Amino acid sequence: MSQICLYLDEDASRGDLIKALRNANIDLITTLEAHNLSCSDLEQLVWATANNKVIYTYNMGDYCRLHTIYMVESREHTGIIVAERQSYSIGEQLRGLQRLVLAISAESIRNQLVFLGTYIRDE
C-alpha cells in the first residue's frame, strides 16, 4: 500500500503549513508548484486524479458537490480531504494530516471525501 501524496488547493497553500508538512516528511505539491493557479475546482480535481494526488482544501461546498457528481456519474478521483473550517491552527492541521496519512493508504482514500476534523483530536 502506498502513502498519500497531498495536493494543496490554493486556499490551503499557506507557507507555514507547507513547511510544517514537509518537515514532517509528508509528500505534497501545491497548486503553485503544479502551475495550476486560478484553475477551476473541477480542473484541480482532474489534475490531482491524473497525477495520483489527494486534494487538501478548505473549500467544503464546491468539493463536496464535485465528489457527489463524481459518485453519481460513476467517475473516479484519488481522494478529497476537506478542512471543515479555516480556523484550524497549523499544529491542528499538521497533526490531523499526519494521523490521516498514517491511517489511510492512497488506495483506500480513492473516491473518498474525508473530513480533517475526524483526525484532529485534543492531546
Side-chain angles (χ1 to χ4, degrees), residues 26-37:
I26 293 180
D27 192 7
L28 71 93
I29 187 169
T30 67
T31 52
L32 175 65
E33 294 164 342
H35 307 287
N36 288 338
L37 288 178

Side-chain angles (χ1 to χ4, degrees), residues 6 18-19 24 35 52 65 84 86-87 105 109 118:
L6 296 176
I18 294 165
K19 184 177 179 180
H35 307 287
N52 294 312
R65 181 182 52 80
E84 302 92 313
Q86 293 185 21
S87 61
S105 69
I109 201 168
T118 305

Side-chain angles (χ1 to χ4, degrees), residues 88-107:
Y88 286 134
S89 70
I90 298 299
E92 288 172 319
Q93 290 177 80
L94 174 62
R95 285 189 303 277
L97 288 168
Q98 284 178 305
R99 288 180 183 128
L100 190 152
V101 166
L102 288 172
I104 303 175
S105 69
E107 295 80 12

Side-chain angles (χ1 to χ4, degrees), residues 4 6 12 27 30 33-34 47 52 54 58 62 71 73 77 79 81 85 89 91 96 106 115-116 120:
I4 290 171
L6 296 176
D27 192 7
T30 67
E33 294 164 342
W47 187 92
N52 294 312
V54 175
Y58 301 148
D62 289 340
M71 295 304 95
E73 294 178 356
H77 63 74
I81 302 166
R85 57 181 218 255
S89 70
F115 294 98
L116 184 64
I120 295 176

